[in-house]
Protein backbone atom coordinates (compact mmCIF):
# COMPACT_ATOMS: atom_id res chain seq x y z
CA UNK A 1 0.00 0.00 0.00
CA UNK A 2 1.31 3.45 -0.91
CA UNK A 3 1.91 5.81 1.97
CA UNK A 4 1.23 8.93 -0.09
CA UNK A 5 -1.38 11.25 1.25
CA UNK A 6 -3.10 13.99 -0.71
CA UNK A 7 -4.78 17.18 0.50
CA UNK A 8 -7.94 17.65 -1.55
CA UNK A 9 -10.06 19.06 1.26
CA UNK A 10 -8.98 20.05 4.78
CA UNK A 11 -10.77 16.93 6.03
CA UNK A 12 -7.86 14.90 4.60
CA UNK A 13 -5.62 16.09 7.44
CA UNK A 14 -7.96 14.48 9.99
CA UNK A 15 -6.56 14.47 13.51
CA UNK A 16 -3.29 15.96 12.26
CA UNK A 17 -4.79 19.37 11.51
CA UNK A 18 -4.07 20.90 14.91
CA UNK A 19 -0.46 19.72 15.00
CA UNK A 20 0.14 20.91 11.42
CA UNK A 21 -1.13 24.38 12.35
CA UNK A 22 0.85 24.47 15.61
CA UNK A 23 3.93 23.44 13.63
CA UNK A 24 3.30 26.34 11.21
CA UNK A 25 2.95 28.82 14.10
CA UNK A 26 6.12 27.53 15.77
CA UNK A 27 8.04 27.60 12.50
CA UNK A 28 6.90 31.16 11.76
CA UNK A 29 8.08 32.31 15.19
CA UNK A 30 11.36 30.37 15.18
CA UNK A 31 14.28 32.80 14.85
CA UNK A 32 16.47 29.93 13.62
CA UNK A 33 14.14 29.24 10.74
CA UNK A 34 16.54 31.34 8.67
CA UNK A 35 17.39 28.80 7.34
CA UNK A 36 19.17 25.62 8.36
CA UNK A 37 16.10 23.42 8.26
CA UNK A 38 15.59 22.29 4.66
CA UNK A 39 13.04 19.47 4.61
CA UNK A 40 12.45 19.93 0.88
CA UNK A 41 16.18 19.81 0.01
CA UNK A 42 16.53 18.19 -3.43
CA UNK A 43 12.73 18.03 -3.78
CA UNK A 44 10.81 19.62 -6.66
CA UNK A 45 7.16 20.67 -6.41
CA UNK A 46 5.11 21.41 -9.54
CA UNK A 47 2.43 24.08 -9.13
CA UNK A 48 -0.28 23.98 -11.83
CA UNK A 49 -2.70 26.91 -12.24
CA UNK A 50 -5.82 26.95 -14.40
CA UNK A 51 -7.07 30.11 -12.68
CA UNK A 52 -5.25 33.31 -11.72
CA UNK A 53 -3.57 33.58 -8.32
CA UNK A 54 -1.53 36.07 -6.34
CA UNK A 55 -1.33 34.70 -2.78
CA UNK A 56 -1.32 30.98 -3.56
CA UNK A 57 1.31 31.22 -6.27
CA UNK A 58 3.68 33.54 -4.41
CA UNK A 59 3.26 31.80 -1.05
CA UNK A 60 3.98 28.37 -2.57
CA UNK A 61 6.99 29.60 -4.54
CA UNK A 62 8.55 31.47 -1.62
CA UNK A 63 7.63 28.81 0.96
CA UNK A 64 9.09 25.98 -1.13
CA UNK A 65 12.29 28.00 -1.62
CA UNK A 66 12.60 28.65 2.12
CA UNK A 67 12.27 24.90 2.76
CA UNK A 68 15.15 24.20 0.35
CA UNK A 69 12.99 22.90 -2.49
CA UNK A 70 12.40 23.94 -6.07
CA UNK A 71 8.99 25.22 -7.24
CA UNK A 72 8.01 24.85 -10.88
CA UNK A 73 5.01 27.04 -11.68
CA UNK A 74 3.10 25.54 -14.60
CA UNK A 75 0.43 27.81 -16.08
CA UNK A 76 -2.43 26.24 -17.98
CA UNK A 77 -1.49 27.82 -21.29
CA UNK A 78 2.07 26.49 -21.07
CA UNK A 79 1.46 22.77 -20.53
CA UNK A 80 -0.18 20.03 -22.58
CA UNK A 81 -2.75 19.07 -19.94
CA UNK A 82 -6.30 19.76 -21.08
CA UNK A 83 -5.20 20.25 -24.68
CA UNK A 84 -3.31 17.29 -26.09
CA UNK A 85 -2.88 15.27 -22.88
CA UNK A 86 -5.26 13.97 -20.25
CA UNK A 87 -5.09 14.87 -16.58
CA UNK A 88 -4.37 11.22 -15.78
CA UNK A 89 -1.40 10.96 -18.17
CA UNK A 90 -0.08 14.31 -16.97
CA UNK A 91 -0.22 13.06 -13.36
CA UNK A 92 1.67 9.89 -14.28
CA UNK A 93 4.36 11.82 -16.15
CA UNK A 94 4.80 14.56 -13.54
CA UNK A 95 5.09 11.91 -10.81
CA UNK A 96 8.28 10.68 -12.52
CA UNK A 97 9.93 14.09 -12.13
CA UNK A 98 8.36 15.72 -9.12
CA UNK A 99 8.02 15.08 -5.38
CA UNK A 100 4.69 16.87 -5.00
CA UNK A 101 2.08 18.67 -7.11
CA UNK A 102 -0.17 21.59 -6.25
CA UNK A 103 -3.14 22.19 -8.54
CA UNK A 104 -5.62 25.07 -8.87
CA UNK A 105 -8.53 24.04 -11.06
CA UNK A 106 -12.21 24.54 -11.84
CA UNK A 107 -14.15 21.31 -11.23
CA UNK A 108 -13.10 19.44 -8.09
CA UNK A 109 -13.12 16.19 -10.11
CA UNK A 110 -10.00 17.46 -11.92
CA UNK A 111 -7.85 17.52 -8.79
CA UNK A 112 -9.39 14.22 -7.69
CA UNK A 113 -8.38 12.64 -11.02
CA UNK A 114 -4.90 14.13 -10.76
CA UNK A 115 -4.46 12.68 -7.28
CA UNK A 116 -5.78 9.25 -8.31
CA UNK A 117 -3.13 9.05 -11.02
CA UNK A 118 -0.23 10.59 -9.11
CA UNK A 119 2.32 8.67 -7.09
CA UNK A 120 3.39 11.85 -5.27
CA UNK A 121 1.30 13.99 -2.89
CA UNK A 122 -1.22 16.31 -4.57
CA UNK A 123 -2.35 19.50 -2.82
CA UNK A 124 -5.54 21.24 -3.91
CA UNK A 125 -4.58 24.89 -4.41
CA UNK A 126 -8.31 25.78 -4.86
CA UNK A 127 -11.05 24.05 -6.77
CA UNK A 128 -14.65 25.15 -7.25
CA UNK A 129 -15.52 23.05 -4.19
CA UNK A 130 -12.60 23.24 -1.76
CA UNK A 131 -9.76 25.55 -0.69
CA UNK A 132 -7.95 23.62 2.06
CA UNK A 133 -4.77 25.72 2.10
CA UNK A 134 -6.90 28.79 2.78
CA UNK A 135 -8.68 27.10 5.68
CA UNK A 136 -5.34 25.99 7.14
CA UNK A 137 -4.05 29.57 7.06
CA UNK A 138 -7.35 30.87 8.45
CA UNK A 139 -7.42 28.58 11.47
CA UNK A 140 -3.71 29.20 12.03
CA UNK A 141 -4.47 32.94 12.12
CA UNK A 142 -7.26 32.42 14.66
CA UNK A 143 -4.95 30.18 16.75
CA UNK A 144 -2.30 32.91 16.81
CA UNK A 145 -4.85 35.11 18.61
CA UNK A 146 -6.24 32.33 20.77
CA UNK A 147 -4.01 29.22 20.96
CA UNK A 148 -6.67 26.98 22.55
CA UNK A 149 -9.44 28.25 20.23
CA UNK A 150 -11.78 28.07 23.20
CA UNK A 151 -14.79 30.39 22.95
CA UNK A 152 -14.30 31.12 19.24
CA UNK A 153 -17.44 31.68 17.19
CA UNK A 154 -16.76 32.10 13.47
CA UNK A 155 -19.47 33.87 11.48
CA UNK A 156 -19.46 33.63 7.69
CA UNK A 157 -21.53 36.16 5.74
CA UNK A 158 -21.86 35.66 1.99
CA UNK A 159 -21.83 32.95 -0.61
CA UNK A 160 -21.93 29.23 0.21
CA UNK A 161 -18.69 28.63 -1.66
CA UNK A 162 -15.37 26.75 -1.73
CA UNK A 163 -13.79 28.89 1.02
CA UNK A 164 -16.76 28.37 3.34
CA UNK A 165 -16.67 24.59 2.76
CA UNK A 166 -13.16 24.14 4.13
CA UNK A 167 -13.63 26.82 6.78
CA UNK A 168 -16.62 24.97 8.27
CA UNK A 169 -14.80 21.63 8.04
CA UNK A 170 -11.72 23.06 9.75
CA UNK A 171 -13.85 24.67 12.48
CA UNK A 172 -15.64 21.37 13.05
CA UNK A 173 -12.33 19.47 13.19
CA UNK A 174 -10.93 21.88 15.80
CA UNK A 175 -14.09 22.18 17.90
CA UNK A 176 -14.86 25.76 16.88
CA UNK A 177 -18.46 26.96 16.43
CA UNK A 178 -19.26 28.11 12.89
CA UNK A 179 -22.41 29.89 11.75
CA UNK A 180 -22.92 30.85 8.14
CA UNK A 181 -25.41 33.39 6.81
CA UNK A 182 -26.13 32.85 3.12
CA UNK A 183 -28.96 34.02 0.86
CA UNK A 184 -31.60 31.41 -0.02
CA UNK A 185 -30.40 29.52 -3.07
CA UNK A 186 -26.70 30.05 -2.28
CA UNK A 187 -26.30 27.51 0.49
CA UNK A 188 -23.10 25.47 0.81
CA UNK A 189 -22.90 21.96 -0.62
CA UNK A 190 -25.18 19.61 1.36
CA UNK A 191 -22.63 16.80 1.54
CA UNK A 192 -19.98 19.12 2.94
CA UNK A 193 -22.42 20.45 5.56
CA UNK A 194 -23.34 16.87 6.46
CA UNK A 195 -19.68 15.92 6.83
CA UNK A 196 -18.89 19.03 8.93
CA UNK A 197 -21.90 18.31 11.16
CA UNK A 198 -20.75 14.69 11.66
CA UNK A 199 -17.26 15.83 12.67
CA UNK A 200 -18.72 18.54 14.91
CA UNK A 201 -20.73 15.95 16.81
CA UNK A 202 -17.44 14.38 17.94
CA UNK A 203 -15.60 17.62 18.69
CA UNK A 204 -18.55 19.33 20.37
CA UNK A 205 -18.77 22.39 18.13
CA UNK A 206 -21.91 23.87 16.60
CA UNK A 207 -22.55 24.11 12.86
CA UNK A 208 -25.43 26.51 12.15
CA UNK A 209 -26.96 27.80 8.91
CA UNK A 210 -29.07 30.95 8.66
CA UNK A 211 -30.26 33.45 6.07
CA UNK A 212 -29.85 36.28 8.56
CA UNK A 213 -26.45 38.05 8.66
CA UNK A 214 -27.28 39.87 11.92
CA UNK A 215 -28.07 36.58 13.65
CA UNK A 216 -24.74 35.16 12.42
CA UNK A 217 -22.73 38.15 13.65
CA UNK A 218 -24.22 38.31 17.16
CA UNK A 219 -21.40 37.60 19.64
CA UNK A 220 -19.08 36.55 16.82
CA UNK A 221 -15.35 36.50 17.54
CA UNK A 222 -14.58 36.30 13.81
CA UNK A 223 -16.55 37.69 10.88
CA UNK A 224 -15.50 36.26 7.53
CA UNK A 225 -16.63 37.08 4.01
CA UNK A 226 -15.49 36.40 0.46
CA UNK A 227 -16.41 37.65 -3.01
CA UNK A 228 -20.00 36.99 -4.07
CA UNK A 229 -18.87 35.99 -7.58
CA UNK A 230 -16.09 33.43 -7.58
CA UNK A 231 -13.62 32.66 -10.36
CA UNK A 232 -15.46 30.93 -13.17
CA UNK A 233 -18.77 32.65 -12.28
CA UNK A 234 -17.97 35.96 -13.98
CA UNK A 235 -21.04 35.69 -16.24
CA UNK A 236 -23.42 35.24 -13.28
CA UNK A 237 -23.78 38.96 -12.60
CA UNK A 238 -27.49 38.50 -11.75
CA UNK A 239 -26.28 36.65 -8.68
CA UNK A 240 -25.27 39.93 -6.99
CA UNK A 241 -28.88 41.00 -6.36
CA UNK A 242 -29.34 38.13 -3.89
CA UNK A 243 -26.53 39.53 -1.72
CA UNK A 244 -27.95 43.04 -1.14
CA UNK A 245 -28.23 42.47 2.62
CA UNK A 246 -24.99 40.55 2.97
CA UNK A 247 -22.39 43.32 2.84
CA UNK A 248 -20.07 43.35 5.86
CA UNK A 249 -20.26 46.98 6.94
CA UNK A 250 -19.99 48.93 10.19
CA UNK A 251 -23.64 48.36 11.09
CA UNK A 252 -23.35 44.59 10.69
CA UNK A 253 -20.08 44.22 12.62
CA UNK A 254 -21.55 46.25 15.51
CA UNK A 255 -23.35 43.01 16.49
CA UNK A 256 -20.06 41.14 17.02
CA UNK A 257 -17.79 41.11 20.07
CA UNK A 258 -15.79 44.35 20.37
CA UNK A 259 -12.52 42.59 19.71
CA UNK A 260 -13.83 40.48 16.80
CA UNK A 261 -11.42 39.78 13.93
CA UNK A 262 -12.44 40.56 10.36
CA UNK A 263 -11.27 37.92 7.88
CA UNK A 264 -11.33 37.65 4.09
CA UNK A 265 -9.37 35.21 1.94
CA UNK A 266 -8.72 38.02 -0.57
CA UNK A 267 -8.83 39.30 -3.23
CA UNK A 268 -11.59 41.58 -1.88
CA UNK A 269 -14.11 43.48 -3.98
CA UNK A 270 -14.19 46.54 -1.76
CA UNK A 271 -17.58 48.22 -1.65
CA UNK A 272 -19.29 44.95 -2.63
CA UNK A 273 -18.99 42.24 0.06
CA UNK A 274 -17.08 44.51 2.49
CA UNK A 275 -16.68 48.23 3.04
CA UNK A 276 -13.32 50.01 3.30
CA UNK A 277 -14.26 51.01 6.87
CA UNK A 278 -14.34 47.34 7.93
CA UNK A 279 -11.47 45.87 5.94
CA UNK A 280 -9.19 48.79 6.88
CA UNK A 281 -10.26 48.82 10.54
CA UNK A 282 -8.09 47.80 13.50
CA UNK A 283 -10.17 44.59 13.72
CA UNK A 284 -9.08 43.46 10.28
CA UNK A 285 -6.57 40.58 10.18
CA UNK A 286 -6.75 39.97 6.43
CA UNK A 287 -3.04 40.54 5.78
CA UNK A 288 -2.02 38.20 8.62
CA UNK A 289 -4.22 35.62 6.93
CA UNK A 290 -2.51 36.27 3.60
CA UNK A 291 0.97 35.91 5.14
CA UNK A 292 -0.06 32.75 6.95
CA UNK A 293 -0.85 31.07 3.63
CA UNK A 294 2.90 30.63 3.32
CA UNK A 295 3.59 29.31 6.83
CA UNK A 296 0.61 26.96 6.83
CA UNK A 297 1.56 25.59 3.41
CA UNK A 298 5.17 25.09 4.53
CA UNK A 299 3.83 22.96 7.37
CA UNK A 300 1.55 21.04 4.98
CA UNK A 301 4.34 20.47 2.43
CA UNK A 302 6.71 19.20 5.11
CA UNK A 303 3.96 16.98 6.56
CA UNK A 304 3.10 15.46 3.16
CA UNK A 305 6.53 15.34 1.48
CA UNK A 306 8.93 14.69 4.39
CA UNK A 307 7.03 13.27 7.37
CA UNK A 308 10.22 12.32 9.22
CA UNK A 309 11.46 15.91 9.11
CA UNK A 310 8.04 17.15 10.20
CA UNK A 311 8.24 15.02 13.36
CA UNK A 312 11.95 15.67 13.94
CA UNK A 313 11.58 19.46 13.78
CA UNK A 314 10.58 19.97 17.40
CA UNK A 315 13.57 17.94 18.57
CA UNK A 316 15.97 19.71 16.20
CA UNK A 317 15.04 23.22 17.28
N1 LIG B 1 -6.89 33.63 -1.33
C1 LIG B 1 -6.34 33.17 -2.44
O1 LIG B 1 -6.35 31.96 -2.74
O2 LIG B 1 -5.77 34.14 -3.21
P1 LIG B 1 -5.20 33.97 -4.67
O3 LIG B 1 -6.37 33.71 -5.58
O4 LIG B 1 -4.54 35.28 -4.98
O5 LIG B 1 -4.24 32.84 -4.72
N1 LIG C 1 -14.29 31.96 -3.71
C1 LIG C 1 -13.18 32.57 -4.39
C2 LIG C 1 -11.93 32.42 -3.61
C3 LIG C 1 -10.73 33.09 -4.19
C4 LIG C 1 -9.49 32.89 -3.39
C5 LIG C 1 -13.03 31.95 -5.76
O1 LIG C 1 -13.13 30.72 -5.89
O2 LIG C 1 -12.80 32.70 -6.72
Amino acid sequence: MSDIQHLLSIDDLGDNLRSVLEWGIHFKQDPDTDYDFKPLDELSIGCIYEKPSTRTRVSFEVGIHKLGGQALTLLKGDIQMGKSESVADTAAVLSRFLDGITYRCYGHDMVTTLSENSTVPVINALSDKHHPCQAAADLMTIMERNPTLEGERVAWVGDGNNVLHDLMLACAMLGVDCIWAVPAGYEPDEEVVKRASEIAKNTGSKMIETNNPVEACKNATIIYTDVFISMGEEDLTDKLAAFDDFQVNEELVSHANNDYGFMHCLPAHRGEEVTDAVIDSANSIVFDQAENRMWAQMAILTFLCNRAAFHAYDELY
Side-chain angles (χ1 to χ4, degrees):
M1 196 174 112
S2 163
D3 60 359
I4 55 165
Q5 185 183 330
H6 306 296
L7 179 66
L8 305 191
S9 90
I10 197 74
D11 196 11
D12 292 335
L13 285 177
D15 291 342
N16 296 299
L17 176 59
R18 189 179 287 267
S19 59
V20 167
L21 301 188
E22 284 171 353
W23 196 100
I25 290 171
H26 184 193
F27 199 64
K28 178 181 176 181
Q29 292 167 347
D30 185 349
D32 295 332
T33 303
D34 300 345
Y35 280 64
D36 299 328
F37 181 65
K38 303 287 183 197
L40 297 192
D41 187 29
E42 302 288 327
L43 302 189
S44 299
I45 310 295
C47 305
I48 306 172
Y49 294 91
E50 292 187 353
K51 292 172 173 170
S53 168
T54 299
R55 278 143 290 272
T56 308
R57 176 174 174 173
V58 175
S59 59
F60 267 119
E61 287 192 14
V62 176
I64 291 165
H65 174 74
K66 283 185 192 295
L67 294 173
Q70 175 196 22
L72 293 92
T73 291
L74 306 165
L75 303 181
K76 188 186 178 188
D78 298 343
I79 58 174
Q80 306 283 13
M81 188 174 79
K83 295 191 280 286
S84 58
E85 194 160 33
S86 69
V87 173
D89 283 354
T90 304
V93 170
L94 291 183
S95 296
R96 299 292 178 104
F97 300 119
L98 299 172
D99 303 285
I101 302 170
T102 76
Y103 183 24
R104 170 167 286 200
C105 59
Y106 286 89
H108 189 69
D109 55 323
M110 300 289 280
V111 68
T112 303
T113 303
L114 191 84
S115 69
E116 286 168 354
N117 292 277
S118 169
T119 56
V120 298
V122 170
I123 297 173
N124 179 3
L126 179 147
S127 67
D128 286 350
K129 189 170 178 188
H130 290 288
H131 198 0
C133 297
Q134 184 67 54
D138 296 342
L139 269 295
M140 174 177 161
T141 307
I142 301 172
M143 276 171 89
E144 282 182 321
R145 287 161 48 102
N146 175 5
T148 67
L149 294 173
E150 254 171 61
E152 293 293 338
R153 178 180 159 93
V154 174
W156 172 275
V157 180
D159 192 19
N161 67 14
N162 47 3
V163 174
L164 172 60
H165 288 158
D166 287 74
L167 180 72
M168 74 167 75
L169 286 165
C171 285
M173 292 162 79
L174 297 173
V176 172
D177 292 347
C178 184
I179 178 164
W180 53 94
V182 293
Y186 295 98
E187 292 85 3
D189 182 275
E190 273 178 28
E191 269 181 35
V192 176
V193 174
K194 194 171 158 218
R195 176 68 187 143
S197 304
E198 267 168 25
I199 298 169
K201 260 188 223 154
N202 289 328
T203 60
S205 63
K206 294 189 191 111
M207 297 287 118
I208 303 167
E209 182 167 299
T210 176
N211 299 129
N212 183 342
V214 172
E215 182 193 335
C217 291
K218 269 186 197 151
N219 306 319
T221 59
I222 297 290
I223 297 180
Y224 198 133
T225 191
D226 182 15
V227 291
F228 298 144
I229 307 245
S230 284
M231 290 182 275
E233 295 184 335
E234 289 81 2
D235 293 340
L236 304 181
T237 42
D238 287 353
K239 192 180 166 185
L240 280 181
F243 290 86
D244 275 349
D245 298 328
F246 287 75
Q247 184 186 65
V248 178
N249 52 35
E250 284 173 294
E251 198 289 315
L252 187 62
V253 301
S254 70
H255 300 279
N257 284 4
N258 282 341
D259 59 352
Y260 85 97
F262 172 72
M263 299 183 78
H264 192 308
C265 58
L266 304 178
H269 293 174
R270 287 165 174 260
E272 211 163 274
E273 74 275 6
V274 61
T275 58
D276 286 342
V278 170
I279 196 169
D280 293 331
S281 71
N283 292 80
S284 178
I285 50 174
V286 298
F287 299 120
D288 294 330
Q289 270 181 275
E291 179 189 338
N292 285 341
R293 290 295 305 279
M294 183 180 79
W295 300 108
Q297 287 159 195
M298 288 166 79
I300 290 166
L301 283 161
T302 305
F303 181 78
L304 293 181
C305 300
N306 190 344
R307 191 72 51 93
F310 181 87
H311 290 308
Y313 170 74
D314 282 332
E315 282 148 42
L316 283 173
Y317 291 91

